[in-house]
Amino acid sequence: MKQFGITPKILEFEHCHEVGAHFQIGKGDLVFISDRTDEHYFKDTISNEAYRVNYRKYVSGEPTDVMVEKIYADIKDYEYTRVFGIGGGTILDVAKLFALKNTVPVVDLFNKELEIIKDKELILIPTTCGTGSEVTNISILELTAISSKFGLAVDELYADYAVLVPELLNDLPMSVFATSSIDAFIHAIESYTSPKASAFTRLYSKKAMEMILSGYQTIAEQGPEARKPLLNDFMIASTFAGIAFGNAGCAAVHAMSYPLGAVYHVAHGEANYAMFTEVFKTYAAIDPNGSIKELNLFLAGILGCEPAFVYEEIEKLLNHILLKKALRDYGVTKVDLETFTEAVMTKQTRLMANNYVPLAREQVLGIYTKLY
């Protein structure tokens, strides 16, 4: 059986002040938002009676279980009925946990040893065009005990409202635009070849890939500033990709990127790009005749090349957006390759179950070695 659904109600606004007017954010609201986003976009729309949390005050890098527990200790006496997450994927993922009745200990929550009950309304507002977290039921943290990212995927983490405001992308730096939009592209492509993919998820996957690659072609021809008129398209594409992978799942690219992100603090989208094409070349070598054949024909039509060369052409295009690096350029050692492989095979089984074809330990290590 395959299943498809879009759980959050999706709202679109032109401007942030409309969001404030609609939701009347104030007393009884817990708002995850950076100081910068608050000052630039929501200064006059969020009441001072709301409890604001700037998670950057708790951690400088990726969010961790320890950080979530520190935030919980600070806000536990504040009575709230709604949670707003306004930010990139990390902020949205953290905000999701605070809509639950039981949040700590976080490791117990992620191991599903706590009763999982959602007892607050959850409103998610992305400020990047990559994670699709606003429409998924997944929260990803670095769990310090295992030194790797780990995902909790339960229906209680779905938002009640996913709110899209393209104005929030206006001053997104090119580097953040690049890593987030590449993440969205990989969500779309991984979900397309997932065994859980259906006609419905592939519809969203294909449209997201088409919009993102078309945008990249424009940027490659005209330069980084050409992204500005396309920001609404990229935000929509990110949400489309989120709907696709929220139903069909991501796979080995994400699983293999997590150790790189956790150990060397590489941005999530960049870590995905480091793994992406080699994983899909490996898939195609193992079984070229399944859904990957359909995918490659679709991509070839967009890229104007033969299906056999789609991944080379994608790398050429993506390198206009973000230059791909070898793993050694991040400081990765040969010893790390074995450690990363072990982490993927033992800690990322949720993702590896969605692979186009099963990958053995030797094949995962082989991919890492080729990328080294």
Side-chain angles (χ1 to χ4, degrees), residues 57-92:
K57 292 181 178 178
Y58 295 86
V59 67
S60 58
E62 295 291 312
T64 68
D65 51 341
V66 174
M67 179 211 74
V68 170
E69 291 178 356
K70 287 180 180 177
I71 294 174
Y72 179 84
D74 284 350
I75 64 97
K76 61 183 173 60
D77 295 326
Y78 178 70
E79 293 186 7
Y80 60 98
T81 58
R82 297 192 300 182
V83 178
F84 288 82
I86 306 172
T90 51
I91 290 181
L92 304 191

Side-chain angles (χ1 to χ4, degrees), residues 155-169:
D155 286 352
E156 289 80 1
L157 295 180
Y158 275 120
D160 295 282
Y161 296 94
V163 182
L164 306 183
V165 193
E167 180 185 25
L168 287 166
L169 303 185

Side-chain angles (χ1 to χ4, degrees), residues 165-201:
V165 193
E167 180 185 25
L168 287 166
L169 303 185
N170 283 347
D171 56 357
L172 197 66
M174 180 62 190
S175 60
V176 180
F177 166 82
T179 56
S180 62
S181 59
I182 287 173
D183 188 24
F185 176 70
I186 293 172
H187 288 156
I189 201 168
E190 281 211 282
S191 59
Y192 190 92
T193 56
S194 167
K196 296 177 185 175
S198 67
F200 299 98
T201 64

Side-chain angles (χ1 to χ4, degrees), residues 62 130-131 149 175-184 186-187 253-254 257 266-276 318 322 330:
E62 295 291 312
T131 69
K149 289 186 175 182
S175 60
V176 180
F177 166 82
T179 56
S180 62
S181 59
I182 287 173
D183 188 24
I186 293 172
H187 288 156
V253 175
H254 273 72
S257 78
V266 179
H268 177 59
E270 184 172 356
N272 279 335
Y273 181 29
M275 309 298 162
F276 159 51
L318 265 59
L322 179 72
Y330 296 110

Side-chain angles (χ1 to χ4, degrees), residues 133-154:
S133 184
E134 67 276 4
V135 290
T136 71
N137 66 337
I138 306 165
S139 177
I140 298 168
L141 290 180
E142 181 185 340
L143 299 186
T144 54
I146 63 172
S147 297
S148 187
K149 289 186 175 182
F150 197 75
L152 174 66
V154 292

Side-chain angles (χ1 to χ4, degrees), residues 228-245:
K228 296 292 179 69
L230 303 173
L231 291 176
N232 185 58
D233 287 350
F234 275 98
M235 177 168 270
I236 296 294
S238 173
T239 301
F240 283 173
I243 291 168
F245 93 85

Side-chain angles (χ1 to χ4, degrees), residues 26-159:
K27 186 177 181 180
D29 293 329
L30 181 66
V31 184
F32 287 83
I33 188 170
S34 71
D35 291 343
R36 183 177 181 281
T37 299
D38 193 9
E39 177 69 23
H40 280 221
Y41 295 105
F42 291 93
K43 182 178 180 181
D44 299 320
T45 60
I46 299 176
S47 164
N48 288 332
E49 292 184 287
Y51 193 119
R52 291 166 169 81
V53 176
N54 179 1
Y55 95 103
R56 283 298 180 199
K57 292 181 178 178
Y58 295 86
V59 67
S60 58
E62 295 291 312
T64 68
D65 51 341
V66 174
M67 179 211 74
V68 170
E69 291 178 356
K70 287 180 180 177
I71 294 174
Y72 179 84
D74 284 350
I75 64 97
K76 61 183 173 60
D77 295 326
Y78 178 70
E79 293 186 7
Y80 60 98
T81 58
R82 297 192 300 182
V83 178
F84 288 82
I86 306 172
T90 51
I91 290 181
L92 304 191
D93 281 5
V94 170
K96 289 177 180 180
L97 302 178
F98 287 85
L100 301 178
K101 183 177 181 180
N102 303 304
T103 304
V104 298
V106 174
V107 170
D108 291 349
L109 175 65
F110 273 61
N111 286 331
K112 299 184 179 178
E113 294 169 4
L114 294 181
E115 188 176 16
I116 299 177
I117 301 170
K118 182 183 176 188
D119 63 350
K120 288 99 177 173
E121 192 173 55
L122 180 62
I123 300 96
L124 299 179
I125 307 172
T127 61
T128 63
C129 51
T131 69
S133 184
E134 67 276 4
V135 290
T136 71
N137 66 337
I138 306 165
S139 177
I140 298 168
L141 290 180
E142 181 185 340
L143 299 186
T144 54
I146 63 172
S147 297
S148 187
K149 289 186 175 182
F150 197 75
L152 174 66
V154 292
D155 286 352
E156 289 80 1
L157 295 180
Y158 275 120

